[in-house]
Amino acid sequence: MQLFERVISEDSMNIFTKGICVHFIGDLSRLPGTLRLLACQIQERTRHNKGLKLVVGLSYSGRQDLVQACKAVAAEVQRGSVDLDEIDESKLESKLLTTWDEEISDPDLLIRTSGEKRLSNFMLWQLAYTELVFVPELWPDFGENEYRVALAEYQERDRRFGRHQNK
């Protein structure tokens, strides 16, 4: 976490000057106090920025996100503000941590660094139709060249969003 804290601190001026809106998702209460404070400060300071929207998962769990979304919908049912028959994918999706902004959609591409070939409990719902690219570089070593290579691989994909390919 110290590496992440250092990188965020060093890049914060760049974030502010480029008008980037930063939003953190996850259980921030589990983070060290200094990182939690830094995350809250950056999020608050950039919340009205109109540039790129950067969502950062810190102590984020896809499974926990689904659980908290289910609990939020269940609470609405319990209060009587939602009928059981009204629960569908869009209702559940509306309660996920990643839906803090209606302009944010599910990712088109996930680049998984470190050579691991798994999702590691990350955005399980949101990655249903996301293209996955796995690269051997560790996150701190992942640079512009590696990004270009991953994008080139992504551009070669035939995105079907669950549809079968016509032969």
Side-chain angles (χ1 to χ4, degrees):
M1 284 291 172
Q2 289 177 337
L3 172 64
F4 189 78
E5 191 172 339
R6 190 182 82 227
V7 169
I8 287 261
S9 293
E10 291 171 359
D11 284 346
S12 63
M13 191 50 71
N14 197 22
I15 289 168
F16 301 137
T17 58
K18 292 191 175 183
I20 297 171
C21 175
V22 181
H23 186 79
F24 292 91
I25 60 171
D27 184 2
L28 301 185
S29 69
R30 297 181 62 213
L31 300 176
T34 54
L35 181 55
R36 184 173 53 247
L37 179 62
L38 181 62
C40 291
Q41 288 172 338
I42 290 174
Q43 182 169 296
E44 182 58 33
R45 187 167 173 195
T46 65
R47 67 185 296 198
H48 297 294
N49 288 356
K50 302 296 182 203
L52 172 82
K53 294 184 180 182
L54 177 63
V55 180
V56 181
L58 283 176
S59 189
Y60 171 83
S61 160
R63 288 179 176 180
Q64 187 57 42
D65 195 5
L66 288 168
V67 168
Q68 70 80 29
C70 289
K71 286 180 176 180
V73 172
E76 289 183 351
V77 170
Q78 192 173 37
R79 283 192 306 273
S81 59
V82 170
D83 188 62
L84 197 57
D85 294 331
E86 296 175 305
I87 300 174
D88 58 10
E89 286 185 22
S90 64
K91 174 55 85 177
L92 185 60
E93 186 174 36
S94 74
K95 303 301 180 188
L96 295 172
L97 295 174
T98 51
T99 57
W100 65 276
D101 184 310
E102 66 236 8
E103 292 180 14
I104 304 286
S105 60
D106 292 345
D108 293 312
L109 170 65
L110 172 73
I111 301 170
R112 171 60 191 215
T113 58
S114 78
E116 299 293 343
K117 293 190 170 53
R118 62 175 183 257
L119 295 179
S120 297
N121 195 20
F122 184 70
M123 297 179 77
L124 300 175
W125 177 283
Q126 300 87 338
L127 296 177
Y129 295 109
T130 299
E131 297 294 325
L132 309 175
V133 173
F134 301 97
V135 297
E137 293 81 16
L138 298 175
W139 170 73
D141 302 322
F142 185 84
E144 185 175 342
N145 185 54
E146 291 80 10
Y147 180 64
R148 289 178 188 276
V149 169
L151 283 182
E153 181 179 333
Y154 169 73
Q155 290 173 330
E156 297 295 317
R157 306 278 177 93
D158 177 24
R159 305 227 36 224
R160 295 186 306 271
F161 301 96
R163 296 182 311 267
H164 291 288
Q165 185 175 17
N166 293 336
K167 296 192 181 197

